[in-house]
Amino acid sequence: MNRDGLADFLRIRRAHVTPAEVGLPDGERRRTPGLRRQEVAQLAGMSIDYYIRLEQGRGPHPSRQVLNALARALMLSQDERAHLFHLAGQAVESPRIREDVPQSLLHLISFMEEVPAYVLDARYDILAWNPLAGALMGGLDSVTAENRNVIRWVFMSPDIAEHLDDEERGRFARASVADLRAAAGRYPDDRKLQALVTELLALSPHFAELWSRYEVELRRQQRKRVTHPVVGEIDVICQVMAVPDRDDLRLVLYTAEPGSPSHQALRDLRQLTLS
């Protein structure tokens, strides 16, 4: 059980829920945003003393019944609820992030000749990719394994401020941090993940600000615009798919509307990889 992490999560999520959202009157002027501790305790059907101890990191090990009640009281999403259970030591998952990629998955992405495809682990390290993904993302073969990290690329970029101001790219950056936060909850003992977070907290104020929000969300489908130096701008749908029996891996596919200029651009890029 991660007592400090659970305490931080409860405090931050409480501040993001308004009384109106849970059917409570606003009452007198509030000094801080969100719900009061006694209101969360009331909504969850527990004593205020018990809840205070949880927020102070000194409470007992909460049962699944208590966690479900807190998830309802704080209006947690499915991903946030899963993170709550991870912090409380109730979820059963692999204790570490593996770095091997199943052979069947390698075969699959190699067969996708017209679809950029790559395999991403929970740290956002790219572990495997097909030729079209390599061409689209700027020659992954020439990058060392330590530097094939998508979140590091984003937040160590010199134009990160402009990146975050853009609606689509900013949404991707925020969702990635929320997804990394969820991974940190699932794999609290993974040293490489901890080192990545520590590095970015020290070097990127933008990452640190997003990390401090304590948003938790697993990445799913999202639109994305990629600018390639040869074929130009490509609008794609970024499909993020879970890998069966491997919670630490995701298969990422970039697809474009059939017959669209972006679809043709991907075809032109594929021809360049064959020449």
Side-chain angles (χ1 to χ4, degrees):
M1 176 178 172
N2 184 345
R3 294 183 185 278
D4 291 340
L6 178 61
D8 287 342
F9 185 61
L10 291 174
R11 284 195 300 268
I12 293 173
R13 296 319 305 165
R14 174 167 62 86
H16 284 76
V17 181
T18 66
E21 288 177 311
V22 293
L24 294 175
D26 284 336
E28 68 274 12
R29 186 175 180 180
R30 293 170 181 256
R31 289 181 294 179
T32 57
L35 298 176
R36 298 188 177 98
R37 288 172 171 174
Q38 60 265 33
E39 290 172 333
V40 176
Q42 174 188 340
L43 291 167
M46 64 182 63
S47 72
I48 178 63
D49 179 67
Y50 182 90
Y51 180 75
I52 288 175
R53 282 186 288 151
L54 287 177
E55 274 207 6
Q56 292 177 342
R58 58 185 183 87
H61 197 295
S63 66
R64 299 185 71 86
Q65 181 180 1
V66 167
L67 294 173
N68 280 322
L70 287 171
R72 290 192 298 270
L74 295 171
M75 301 183 66
L76 300 185
S77 67
Q78 181 178 352
D79 294 336
E80 290 166 340
R81 179 183 176 278
H83 187 63
L84 175 70
F85 273 68
H86 289 307
L87 292 173
Q90 288 284 3
V92 179
E93 287 204 47
S94 172
R96 64 186 182 89
I97 300 173
R98 293 164 52 183
E99 297 180 0
D100 62 301
V101 179
Q103 196 68 33
S104 59
L105 194 56
L106 295 175
H107 292 325
L108 176 62
I109 63 175
S110 69
F111 295 151
M112 296 180 174
E113 297 180 351
E114 293 195 1
V115 176
Y118 59 92
V119 180
L120 198 67
D121 70 10
R123 304 184 200 103
Y124 274 68
D125 288 330
I126 298 177
L127 301 182
W129 58 93
N130 65 7
L132 191 52
L136 183 63
M137 302 178 74
L140 290 172
D141 292 318
S142 62
V143 181
T144 62
E146 292 76 14
N147 292 319
R148 286 197 294 264
N149 184 274
V150 176
I151 288 187
R152 186 182 284 114
W153 291 347
V154 171
F155 286 94
M156 298 308 296
S157 169
D159 61 347
I160 179 58
E162 178 184 345
H163 190 114
L164 292 173
D165 285 340
D166 181 86
E167 181 179 356
E168 288 188 358
R169 293 191 297 171
R171 183 166 56 248
F172 169 80
R174 290 187 292 272
S176 298
V177 174
D179 187 39
L180 192 68
R181 171 68 85 169
R186 295 198 307 274
Y187 305 101
D189 298 324
D190 187 88
R191 294 183 178 180
K192 289 186 177 181
L193 193 155
Q194 292 175 355
L196 174 65
V197 172
T198 300
E199 172 193 351
L200 292 174
L201 286 174
L203 299 179
S204 172
H206 296 94
F207 177 87
E209 194 278 324
L210 291 174
W211 187 261
S212 69
R213 296 183 187 181
Y214 221 118
E215 295 175 343
V216 178
E217 180 181 6
L218 301 186
R219 269 191 63 207
R220 296 182 175 90
Q221 177 176 303
Q222 184 176 351
R223 292 190 175 274
K224 188 176 182 181
R225 176 168 293 174
V226 180
T227 302
H228 190 272
V230 177
V231 300
E233 289 189 344
I234 308 175
D235 291 314
V236 297
I237 297 175
C238 179
Q239 305 271 3
V240 182
M241 306 177 69
V243 176
D245 300 323
R246 286 293 300 273
D247 292 330
D248 55 341
L249 293 182
R250 266 78 62 82
L251 173 63
V252 182
L253 309 175
Y254 288 166
T255 60
E257 187 71 25
S260 66
S262 293
H263 186 213
Q264 185 58 50
L266 285 177
R267 288 190 164 185
D268 293 342
L269 186 59
R270 178 173 179 262
Q271 288 302 313
L272 291 175
T273 66
L274 298 176
S275 61

